């Protein structure tokens, strides 16, 4: 009788362990993968977002018309703020904004 009970206990424990493992796998499968912020996104969120809501990028009289003018405006405003960004930083922020709002064809 003891052998039957210990066998039943093992089966029950194995079944519970399998259920918990399956639940953990299903929970992990439903989780959204995290993505790392790009350098452009980090620079923009650190230095620009305080003054720029999404409306500034959607307004009718926007100051950009293409990829080149978008880069120019990013360069202009970082200079106004005295941020001292490199050309690479300017391009990264412009790329981030372009991916998020403008969708201009890029030349780089």
């Amino acid at each position: 009788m003891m052998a039957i009970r210990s066998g039943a206990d093992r089966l029950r424990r194995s079944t519970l362990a399998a259920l918990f493992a399956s639940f953990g796998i299903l929970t992990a499968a439903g989780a959204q993968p995290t993505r790392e912020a790009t350098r452009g996104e980090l620079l923009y969120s650190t230095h620009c977002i305080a003054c720029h809501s999404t409306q500034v990028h959607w307004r009718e009289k926007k100051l950009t018309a293409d990829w080149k003018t978008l880069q120019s405006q990013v360069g202009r405003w970082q200079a106004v703020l005295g941020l001292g960004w490199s050309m690479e930083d300017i391009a990264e922020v412009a790329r981030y904004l372009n991916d998020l709002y403008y969708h201009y064809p890029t030349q780089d």
Side-chain angles (χ1 to χ4, degrees):
M1 186 103 169
M2 187 65 139
I4 294 173
R5 184 175 290 168
S6 71
D9 283 344
R10 274 187 263 153
L11 179 61
R12 188 176 351 185
R13 287 180 185 168
S14 296
T15 303
L16 284 173
L19 285 173
F20 283 125
S22 297
F23 181 72
I25 291 169
L26 290 175
T27 302
Q32 293 293 323
T34 58
R35 70 165 183 83
E36 291 193 28
T38 64
R39 178 159 176 77
E41 181 178 1
L42 291 173
L43 287 168
Y44 184 81
S45 63
T46 302
H47 299 286
C48 309
I49 198 69
C51 297
H52 286 261
S53 65
T54 55
Q55 284 77 15
V56 77
H57 301 289
W58 294 342
R59 64 184 177 200
E60 285 187 34
K61 293 185 177 186
K62 57 187 168 190
L63 301 175
T64 64
D66 55 26
W67 171 244
K68 188 173 182 170
T69 58
L70 176 57
Q71 283 186 303
S72 177
Q73 286 300 311
V74 170
R76 175 178 163 246
W77 283 106
Q78 72 79 31
V80 166
L81 295 172
L83 298 174
W85 288 351
S86 68
M87 293 304 290
E88 206 172 291
D89 291 339
I90 293 167
E92 286 296 319
V93 172
R95 188 171 297 111
Y96 167 69
L97 293 173
N98 194 48
D99 290 346
L100 192 60
Y101 299 112
Y102 298 103
H103 310 290
Y104 298 132
T106 60
Q107 289 120 11
D108 59 14

